[in-house]
Amino acid sequence: MSTVCTIAWVHGRVQGVGFRYSTQHEAKRLGLTGYAKNLDDGSVEVVACGATDKVDQLIAWLKAGGPRSASVDKVLAEPHSPSETWRDFGIRY
C-alpha cells in the first residue's frame, strides 16, 4: 500500500461554517494525517497524507461539498512533498 500526500485549496463559503472541523473528522475517519487551515483569501488549505485510496476519498468528499453548511465552488489539488510529517490530522490557525 503506497502512501501519498496531496495539498488542496478549497474555495467557496468554507470559512466560519465548521469546514476545518468537519474535514478533520472525515480525515481521521479515513486514517489520514495532515491538517486543514484557513487562508487569508477565504479559502481553506488541506494537506492529507496516507493510503492513496483514502486520500482520494477525502479529495472526493471535499469536491462533493464537505459539510452541509459549506458551499464549495472549486477544489484545486496536487501532489505534495511536505517537509514535515504528522502523527494525526490537525487544525492549523
Side-chain angles (χ1 to χ4, degrees), residues 10-11 28 37 46 74-75 86:
V10 185
H11 298 268
K28 285 185 172 188
K37 175 183 177 180
V46 177
K74 68 178 174 179
V75 177
W86 299 275

Side-chain angles (χ1 to χ4, degrees), residues 20-47:
R20 291 173 299 159
Y21 298 97
S22 295
T23 301
Q24 179 186 46
H25 180 267
E26 186 68 12
K28 285 185 172 188
R29 186 185 72 76
L30 293 168
L32 301 175
T33 62
Y35 65 86
K37 175 183 177 180
N38 284 347
L39 298 180
D40 291 339
D41 68 358
S43 65
V44 172
E45 179 180 271
V46 177
V47 172

Side-chain angles (χ1 to χ4, degrees), residues 45-78:
E45 179 180 271
V46 177
V47 172
C49 300
T52 303
D53 62 327
K54 301 297 184 183
V55 171
D56 290 345
Q57 286 178 44
L58 182 66
I59 299 303
W61 180 83
L62 294 171
K63 289 181 177 180
R68 284 180 286 193
S69 55
S71 177
V72 174
D73 294 333
K74 68 178 174 179
V75 177
L76 305 172
E78 63 185 42

